């Protein structure tokens, strides 16, 4: 009887504790929802984490001592407890102490920080160089001397993001979001592990910042200038980051995904990429049918142009012009070609000539001239773009 | 505040002309404070839009372009519309009374300094209705993004010019007043600390507002007149803007906090019934902070690719600022130590300030560590940091100052219980809003984004709930202030048992003109 009750009690207790812990796991889940920096995967990121932890502890200790004293005073030296005020108002001795001691603590912090910084800034003797170029709102990666380069764009479906209440298109709640919501791209940056990789970062338009927390790198991309940094990734895996410098409307929507793989896999991947690029170049020489062009054009438009000109071609009043009924997209073809290839300096309309291949350019222009009610009937063949480039 | 002066038999016009033409420091102080209060609610409403959008992942409320306008304008409105004018308002009311002067040294200029502000605010907010909307490149208006912006950016630039003129004139006036109009016997080293911190702040304003005006003018000519200061295609450099901007921007941070230090240094001794600890070192610490603030600007730019030596220099200088700031905190705690403390609302705000501002100060020290800053920079860790120094720093000090001096200004006591409610709700909601943002930043959430990855959801929910509470609580503040102006228990001249200083020798409320004959200080 007694045993039975005890068992019941234990059962109830277990239920309560598991409910409580479930609550904590789900709301405060340490594992999933970090309180601290993400786990490092490079030696530098690890040094940064240690530095951060050490400084945070020093700060916390100072804080506890100072405010321990203050709250002691708040409780003990109050008028309601009859405490009489003393009238001391200086003490050269303690004032010297609390100037000198903090200074020494700061020196103690500055030494390891300096050491780490010197290591971070040493980009010599790298095994592989990647040139990163920020665009509104995507990243371009070029594997220097390897003949491989590509764009990397957000892959989260627009339907998951939803449409806000106060927008021209009207409210639409976002669909259920996948686990990597906003942190997924169409084509990740693939890198080998255990090699010193040097990154060169710049941009084509405004400022961006390339940041992957787990490898301990954040650097601004600045048009016209090149910044350098390096990483040696120790573990294979997928690491995610984001643009960290405000770069306009879709600043929150230009993630970075990095796949670290073994050297073997990396070389195999490089070969595969080269083959794909060759195949794409060959496509420029043949004649394309209208339906084919429109299909490829819509795909390119949605991926590259829609963030500004909007999926329905209506643009955003006062900021990005509409393509539907646009004078350019329904006017002389040459001007349209020129605008898209050369862009318009000083505005967000970039030069897409260097960004897109012949097929994509021909297709997207064909699409703009025939979609959204722009029924010009014009067709642009990739060969025409190829000729224009010369 | 308005009704206070009319109770006396002084000659001055009534109605709207009184406020338009006034050269009286008390009237102008009142105008500044009301202007700041209105802007505080405007900027607060923008913060509510931001937090509503960030309440859940996905886009629900506003589109990203409008979101960027909100973050940009929230900061500009709070910094230039709320905090700076509030401190100038406090200076206008208090400095003449604290130094025994009849008014400010340049009363007509004083009128103009204020009346520039409504025009500036109209320009700033008017941008929202321009084609393409308001400024959306962040309050730092970094090119090239700010060159892309629509007409709203031009409005902002002109608003900054106007605000800058207002600040410079205000600063000149404050310097002229403090240096020339002190009562006989009130030597510099006997001035109340609020006066000292404002003197130093005024010099900072004179030094850096023209720099800001210069750099935004360069931006304007880049936008419209074909110059290429910041355009690499024409031989310019976008980073140059950042250097010049932060040469203004970092001293600006201290413009926003030094008067708060002054306020706290007045309140703590009063309610501890004990003189301020280390008056001299407080003055020197303020001076050192102001001086150092000119040589730390690039700590906002550690990720732009500075040379290693530059990064080290700016790291060391920034860390050094912790020393005089630490001295201040230690002095405040020592002021309270073995006092005879009571905890009226101003004291609560002052203690809240010391406690919470120090959290912001310590996270600032962490941000100075360059390698670690590479992880913190442009994340919510920074957002948390500057709200700890600006909200629980500057704004809570302003609130404390209002409770401290409102009985003097109006002759009426505010309702103590309501004041305490206001403090506790503000402090609690403030921490619910901003403490989790430290974790968000460390976990990798960039700032200035309208939507975020799922692992950031929980803390954003906390933060939004806290923000809504924090916003609502301020309506209570408005209610308390209005009620106190309308009436209430009469305040004595001294108001607080432990208060010392010339302003407390005047009647509550003080007559329209005070200290026509200077008091003697020994
Ligand atoms: Cu960005
Ligand atoms: Cu700063």
């Amino acid at each position: 009887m007694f045993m039975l009750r005890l068992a019941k009690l234990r059962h109830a207790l277990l239920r309560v504790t598991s409910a409580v812990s479930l609550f904590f796991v789900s709301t405060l889940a340490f594992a999933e929802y970090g309180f601290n920096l993400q786990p490092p995967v490079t030696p530098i990121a690890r040094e940064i984490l240690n530095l951060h932890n050490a400084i945070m502890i020093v700060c916390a200790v100072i804080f506890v001592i100072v405010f321990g004293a203050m709250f002691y005073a708040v409780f003990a030296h109050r008028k309601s407890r009859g405490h009489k005020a003393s009238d001391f108002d200086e003490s050269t001795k303690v004032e010297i102490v609390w100037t000198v001691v903090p200074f020494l603590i700061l020196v103690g912090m500055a030494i390891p920080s300096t050491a780490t910084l010197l290591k971070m800034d040493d980009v010599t003797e790298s095994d592989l160089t990647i040139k990163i170029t920020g665009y509104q709102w995507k990243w371009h990666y070029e594997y220097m001397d390897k003949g491989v380069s590509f764009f990397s764009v957000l892959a989260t479906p627009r339907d998951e993001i939803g449409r806000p209440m106060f927008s021209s298109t009207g409210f639409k709640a976002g669909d259920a979001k996948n686990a990597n919501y906003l942190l997924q791209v169409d084509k990740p940056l693939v890198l080998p592990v255990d090699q010193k990789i040097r990154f060169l970062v710049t941009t084509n338009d405004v400022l961006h910042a390339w940041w992957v927390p787990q490898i301990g790198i954040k650097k601004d991309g600045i048009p016209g200038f090149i910044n350098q940094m390096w990483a040696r990734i120790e573990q294979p895996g997928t690491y995610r980051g984001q643009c960290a410098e405000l770069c306009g409307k879709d600043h929150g929507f230009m993630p970075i995904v990095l796949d670290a793989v073994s050297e073997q896999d990396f070389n195999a991947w490089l070969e595969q990429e080269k083959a794909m690029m060759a195949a794409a170049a060959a496509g420029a020489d043949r004649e394309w049918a209208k339906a084919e062009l429109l299909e490829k054009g819509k795909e390119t438009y949605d991926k590259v142009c829609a963030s500004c000109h909007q999926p329905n071609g209506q643009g955003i009043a006062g900021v990005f012009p509409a393509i539907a009924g646009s004078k350019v997209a329904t006017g002389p073809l040459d001007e349209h070609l020129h605008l898209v290839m050369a862009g318009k300096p000083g505005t967000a309309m970039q030069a897409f000539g260097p960004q897109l291949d012949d097929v994509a350019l021909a297709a997207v222009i064909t699409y703009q001239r025939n979609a959204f009610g722009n029924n010009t009937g014009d067709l642009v063949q990739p060969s025409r773009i190829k000729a224009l480039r010369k | 505040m308005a009704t206070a002066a009319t109770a006396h038999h002084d000659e001055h016009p009534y109605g709207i002309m009184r406020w338009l033409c006034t050269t009286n420091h008390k009237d102008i102080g009142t105008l500044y404070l009301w202007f700041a209060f209105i802007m505080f609610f405007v900027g607060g409403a923008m913060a509510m839009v931001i937090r509503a959008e960030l309440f859940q992942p996905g886009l629900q409320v506003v589109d990203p372009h409008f979101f960027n306008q909100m973050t940009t304008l929230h900061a500009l409105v709070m910094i230039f519309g709320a905090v700076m004018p509030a401190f100038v308002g406090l200076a206008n009311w208090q400095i003449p009374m604290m130094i025994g002067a009849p008014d400010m040294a340049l009363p007509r200029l004083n009128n103009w300094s204020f009346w520039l502000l409504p025009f500036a605010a109209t320009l700033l907010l008017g941008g929202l209705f321009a084609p393409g909307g308001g400024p959306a490149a962040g309050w730092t208006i970094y090119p090239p993004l700010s060159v892309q912006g629509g007409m709203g950016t031009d409005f902002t630039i002109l608003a900054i010019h106007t605000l800058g003129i207002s600040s410079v004139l205000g600063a000149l006036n404050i310097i002229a007043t403090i240096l020339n109009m002190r009562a006989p016997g009130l030597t510099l080293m006997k001035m109340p600390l609020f006066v000292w911190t404002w003197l130093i702040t005024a010099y900072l304003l004179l030094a850096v507002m023209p720099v800001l005006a210069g750099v935004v003018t360069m931006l304007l000519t880049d936008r419209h007149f074909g110059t290429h200061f910041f355009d690499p295609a024409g031989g310019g450099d976008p980073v140059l803007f950042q250097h010049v901007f932060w040469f203004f921007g970092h001293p600006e941070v201290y413009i926003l906090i030094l008067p708060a230090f002054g306020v706290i240094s007045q309140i703590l001794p009063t309610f501890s019934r004990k003189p301020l600890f280390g008056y001299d070192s407080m003055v020197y610490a303020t001076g050192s902070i102001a001086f150092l603030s000119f040589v730390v600007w690039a700590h906002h730019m550690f990720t732009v690719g500075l040379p290693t030596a530059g990064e080290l220099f700016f790291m060391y200088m920034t860390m050094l600022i912790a020393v005089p700031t630490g001295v201040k905190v230690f002095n405040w705690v020592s002021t309270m130590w073995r006092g005879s403390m009571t905890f009226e609302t101003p004291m609560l705000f002052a203690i809240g300030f010391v406690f919470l501002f120090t959290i912001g100060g310590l996270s600032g020290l962490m941000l100075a560590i360059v390698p670690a800053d590479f992880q913190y920079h442009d994340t919510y860790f920074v957002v948390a940091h500057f709200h700890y120094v600006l909200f629980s720093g500057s704004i809570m000090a302003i609130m404390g100052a209002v409770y401290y001096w409102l009985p003097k200004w109006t002759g009426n006591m505010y309702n103590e219980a309501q004041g305490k409610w206001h403090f506790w709700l503000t402090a609690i909601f403030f921490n619910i809003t901003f403490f989790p943002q430290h974790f968000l930043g460390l976990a990798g959430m960039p700032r200035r984004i309208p939507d975020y990855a799922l692992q950031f959801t929980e803390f954003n929910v906390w933060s939004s709930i806290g923000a809504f509470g924090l916003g609502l609580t301020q309506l209570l503040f408005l209610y308390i202030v209005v009620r106190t102006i309308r009436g209430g228990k009469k305040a004595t001249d001294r108001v607080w048992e432990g208060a010392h200083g010339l302003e407390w020798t005047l009647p509550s409320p003080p007559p329209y003109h005070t200290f026509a004959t200077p008091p003697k200080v020994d």
Side-chain angles (χ1 to χ4, degrees):
Chain A
M1 183 64 195
F2 176 73
M3 289 305 277
L4 197 78
R5 217 189 274 155
L6 202 69
K8 243 189 189 161
L9 192 73
R10 197 186 297 144
H11 198 73
L13 252 171
L14 210 75
R15 279 235 299 267
V16 171
T17 45
S18 64
V20 168
S21 51
L22 199 76
F23 172 80
F24 276 103
V25 168
S26 58
T27 58
L28 295 167
F30 276 70
E32 219 180 330
Y33 304 115
F35 283 84
N36 209 346
L37 298 177
Q38 295 179 18
V41 294
T42 64
I44 292 288
R46 194 169 320 107
E47 276 190 35
I48 293 176
L49 177 66
N50 293 339
L51 205 53
H52 159 79
N53 285 339
I55 294 162
M56 202 162 54
I57 288 167
V58 172
C59 287
V61 169
I62 296 172
F63 189 80
V64 168
I65 293 172
V66 173
F67 290 99
M70 187 185 86
F71 281 112
Y72 174 77
V74 163
F75 288 107
H77 307 156
R78 48 168 71 207
K79 194 181 171 199
S80 57
R81 304 189 58 175
H83 195 271
K84 292 274 176 301
S86 28
D87 61 354
F88 68 91
D89 66 356
E90 59 185 347
S91 159
T92 314
K93 223 183 292 164
V94 297
E95 288 178 66
I96 289 174
V97 169
W98 68 43
T99 309
V100 172
V101 171
F103 183 80
L104 295 178
I105 295 175
L106 291 175
V107 172
M109 290 179 176
I111 292 168
S113 310
T114 305
T116 303
L117 183 67
L118 293 178
K119 277 184 230 164
M120 291 175 94
D121 281 358
D122 175 16
V123 289
T124 55
E125 289 171 31
S126 59
D127 305 310
L128 173 68
T129 301
I130 309 286
K131 183 171 171 217
I132 303 169
T133 311
Y135 286 76
Q136 279 174 318
W137 292 281
K138 55 189 176 263
W139 296 101
H140 182 262
Y141 300 114
E142 182 180 349
Y143 292 69
M144 305 291 275
D145 308 322
K146 305 271 188 239
V148 170
S149 69
F150 55 87
F151 279 95
S152 179
V153 196
L154 176 75
T156 301
R158 287 197 173 254
D159 287 338
E160 286 190 21
I161 299 171
R163 286 197 307 259
M165 251 175 272
F166 298 99
S167 66
S168 49
T169 41
F171 180 72
K172 185 180 164 295
D175 294 348
K177 297 172 178 31
N178 76 81
N180 292 320
Y181 177 71
L182 294 192
L183 294 180
Q184 51 199 158
V185 295
D186 60 342
K187 220 166 148 46
L189 175 65
V190 178
L191 293 175
V193 293
D194 294 326
Q195 289 195 11
K196 182 164 181 176
I197 302 162
R198 182 169 67 133
F199 299 95
L200 305 177
V201 59
T202 184
T203 82
N204 183 54
D205 37 51
V206 299
L207 305 174
H208 300 270
W210 198 81
W211 180 32
V212 179
Q214 289 189 270
I215 66 171
I217 283 182
K218 181 188 291 142
K219 252 307 157 49
D220 293 1
I222 298 158
F225 295 81
I226 292 179
N227 273 328
Q228 304 188 53
M229 60 263 192
W230 68 275
R232 185 188 298 277
I233 304 171
E234 291 167 324
Q235 296 165 29
T238 302
Y239 308 115
R240 297 169 201 273
Q242 276 176 277
C243 175
E245 177 67 52
L246 180 61
C247 53
K249 182 172 82 61
D250 281 355
H251 162 57
F253 304 91
M254 53 181 292
I256 297 154
V257 179
L258 187 164
D259 270 340
V261 298
S262 69
E263 192 175 346
Q264 245 173 335
D265 289 354
F266 176 70
N267 289 333
W269 174 85
L270 269 184
E271 289 314 314
Q272 190 191 326
E273 280 302 306
K274 275 187 225 162
M276 266 168 60
M277 287 175 75
D285 295 328
R286 70 178 172 86
E287 190 81 357
W288 284 57
K290 182 167 181 181
E292 243 183 329
L293 279 173
L294 284 179
E295 187 192 339
K296 172 85 182 160
K298 178 168 170 32
E299 183 194 316
T300 310
Y301 181 86
D302 287 344
K303 202 168 119 178
V304 184
C305 322
S307 56
C308 294
H309 295 294
Q310 302 301 300
N312 60 5
Q314 292 300 329
I316 295 178
V319 191
F320 304 119
I323 297 302
S326 145
K327 279 211 187 72
V328 177
T330 58
L333 178 58
D334 282 341
E335 280 171 30
H336 192 179
L337 282 169
H338 181 262
L339 178 75
V340 176
M341 290 184 68
K344 184 150 181 199
T347 75
M349 182 62 200
Q350 312 151 10
F352 286 98
Q355 293 187 36
L356 300 175
D357 62 24
D358 299 347
V359 176
L361 277 169
V364 77
I365 293 169
T366 304
Y367 178 70
Q368 286 194 335
R369 298 185 75 79
N370 293 284
F372 320 124
N374 297 351
N375 301 318
T376 60
D378 294 339
L379 274 198
V380 183
Q381 286 297 338
S383 52
R384 175 153 186 191
I385 305 283
K386 197 169 182 182
L388 270 177
R389 284 194 200 272
K390 291 197 173 121
Chain B
M1 286 169 251
T3 49
T6 48
H8 291 264
H9 309 286
D10 301 289
E11 289 297 313
H12 57 74
Y14 288 89
I16 181 85
M17 287 318 278
R18 166 181 176 187
W19 298 107
L20 279 176
C21 304
T22 183
T23 55
N24 180 286
H25 75 100
K26 301 186 182 78
D27 282 355
I28 293 174
T30 304
L31 286 172
Y32 266 110
L33 287 170
W34 274 117
F35 176 83
F37 214 165
I38 293 166
M39 286 295 129
F40 179 55
F41 281 105
V42 172
M46 292 171 176
M48 296 301 106
V49 173
I50 294 169
R51 284 317 321 173
E53 181 53 64
L54 292 174
F55 185 54
Q56 289 285 302
L59 293 176
Q60 292 87 14
V61 185
V62 292
D63 64 64
H65 183 61
F66 190 72
F67 182 91
N68 289 346
Q69 296 172 41
M70 288 295 103
T71 52
T72 304
L73 283 171
H74 164 73
L76 289 169
V77 165
M78 286 302 198
I79 293 170
F80 292 104
V83 176
M84 288 170 73
F87 279 130
V88 181
L90 292 174
N92 256 289
W93 256 103
Q94 287 308 124
I95 290 177
M97 297 204 296
M98 292 172 110
I99 65 173
D103 205 306
M104 297 292 281
L106 308 160
R108 281 167 212 265
L109 197 69
N110 206 8
N111 172 292
W112 197 41
S113 313
F114 172 76
W115 281 109
L116 284 171
L117 290 183
F119 293 99
T122 311
L123 275 174
L124 191 60
L125 299 174
L128 281 173
F129 305 99
W139 82 278
T140 49
I141 44 174
Y142 282 178
L145 186 59
S146 54
V147 174
Q148 278 183 2
M151 208 190 287
T153 309
D154 302 317
F155 280 38
T156 306
I157 291 173
L158 297 180
I160 289 174
H161 282 143
T162 316
L163 291 161
I165 296 171
S166 164
S167 295
V168 166
L169 298 181
L172 276 173
N173 207 347
I174 286 169
I175 293 173
T177 308
I178 297 174
L179 294 186
N180 296 309
M181 310 217 3
R182 294 191 312 278
L186 187 67
T187 59
L188 284 177
M189 289 310 276
K190 277 189 193 159
M191 293 196 306
L193 232 92
F194 179 70
V195 180
W196 252 120
T197 53
W198 241 118
L199 181 63
I200 292 170
T201 303
Y203 276 108
L204 287 181
L205 277 168
L206 282 192
V208 301
M209 290 311 287
V211 176
L212 176 65
V215 79
V216 297
T217 307
M218 288 157 86
L219 191 62
L220 190 70
T221 62
D222 265 16
R223 281 171 57 82
H224 295 295
F225 306 114
T227 57
H228 299 103
F229 293 114
F230 310 126
D231 177 7
D237 180 355
V239 179
L240 172 66
F241 178 91
Q242 300 185 25
H243 280 293
V244 185
F245 180 88
W246 286 111
F247 185 83
F248 143 80
H250 199 80
E252 170 69 16
V253 172
Y254 289 97
I255 289 168
L256 297 171
I257 200 67
L258 292 184
F261 289 172
V263 166
I264 300 307
S265 305
Q266 301 299 131
I267 296 178
L268 286 176
T270 297
F271 297 95
S272 305
R273 292 170 181 73
K274 194 166 149 281
L276 182 69
F277 184 89
Y279 174 93
D280 292 10
S281 64
M282 281 301 217
V283 172
Y284 299 137
T286 311
S288 325
I289 292 174
F291 174 76
L292 286 172
S293 77
F294 285 103
V295 287
V296 296
W297 75 86
H299 68 205
H300 299 269
M301 308 164 50
F302 283 145
T303 63
V304 301
L306 298 170
T308 309
E311 294 192 311
L312 289 175
F313 172 80
F314 285 107
M315 169 166 82
Y316 298 152
M317 286 299 131
T318 307
M319 293 174 82
L320 206 54
I321 288 199
V323 174
T325 312
V327 167
K328 291 205 160 256
V329 173
F330 299 140
N331 283 357
W332 287 325
V333 172
S334 309
T335 303
M336 293 157 72
W337 188 254
R338 293 181 39 211
S340 176
M341 277 185 271
T342 51
F343 302 93
E344 290 85 343
T345 309
M347 182 64 163
L348 292 180
F349 274 100
I351 295 175
F353 170 98
V354 177
F355 185 74
L356 297 172
F357 169 81
T358 304
I359 296 180
L362 291 170
S363 61
L365 177 61
M366 295 170 70
L367 283 160
I369 309 291
V370 183
D373 182 70
F374 281 100
Q375 295 287 26
Y376 311 143
H377 181 73
D378 266 333
T379 70
Y380 261 83
F381 189 80
V382 177
V383 177
H385 158 71
F386 65 68
H387 282 94
Y388 268 82
V389 293
L390 283 177
F391 194 109
S392 62
S394 311
I395 291 181
M396 278 178 58
I398 292 168
M399 289 171 174
V402 168
Y403 285 106
Y404 185 54
W405 283 312
L406 198 58
K408 171 56 62 190
W409 299 336
T410 63
N412 304 322
M413 290 305 284
Y414 61 86
N415 181 315
E416 193 60 65
Q418 287 170 4
K420 286 187 171 150
W421 270 101
H422 175 223
F423 168 76
W424 284 110
L425 289 176
T426 299
I428 291 166
F429 282 127
F430 168 80
N431 282 294
I432 296 177
T433 309
F434 293 106
F435 208 77
Q437 294 186 358
H438 290 111
F439 303 132
L440 283 174
L442 295 179
M445 178 166 163
R447 64 191 282 205
R448 293 168 166 172
I449 57 174
D451 193 8
Y452 48 81
L454 300 182
Q455 68 263 40
F456 306 129
T457 310
E458 263 68 14
F459 286 134
N460 271 297
V461 173
W462 282 99
S463 190
S464 287
I465 291 173
F468 299 143
L470 188 59
L472 281 178
T473 301
Q474 303 322 313
L475 295 175
L476 176 62
F477 185 34
L478 179 65
Y479 171 76
I480 297 171
V481 170
V482 171
R483 239 186 74 156
T484 312
I485 294 170
R486 292 260 179 100
K489 211 175 91 214
K490 292 297 152 219
T492 60
D493 291 356
R494 180 168 284 273
V495 183
W496 312 109
E497 188 187 38
H500 290 284
L502 290 173
E503 78 261 45
W504 309 109
T505 63
L506 293 168
S508 303
Y512 198 56
H513 299 291
T514 43
F515 293 127
T517 44
K520 254 203 120 34
V521 180
D522 38 40

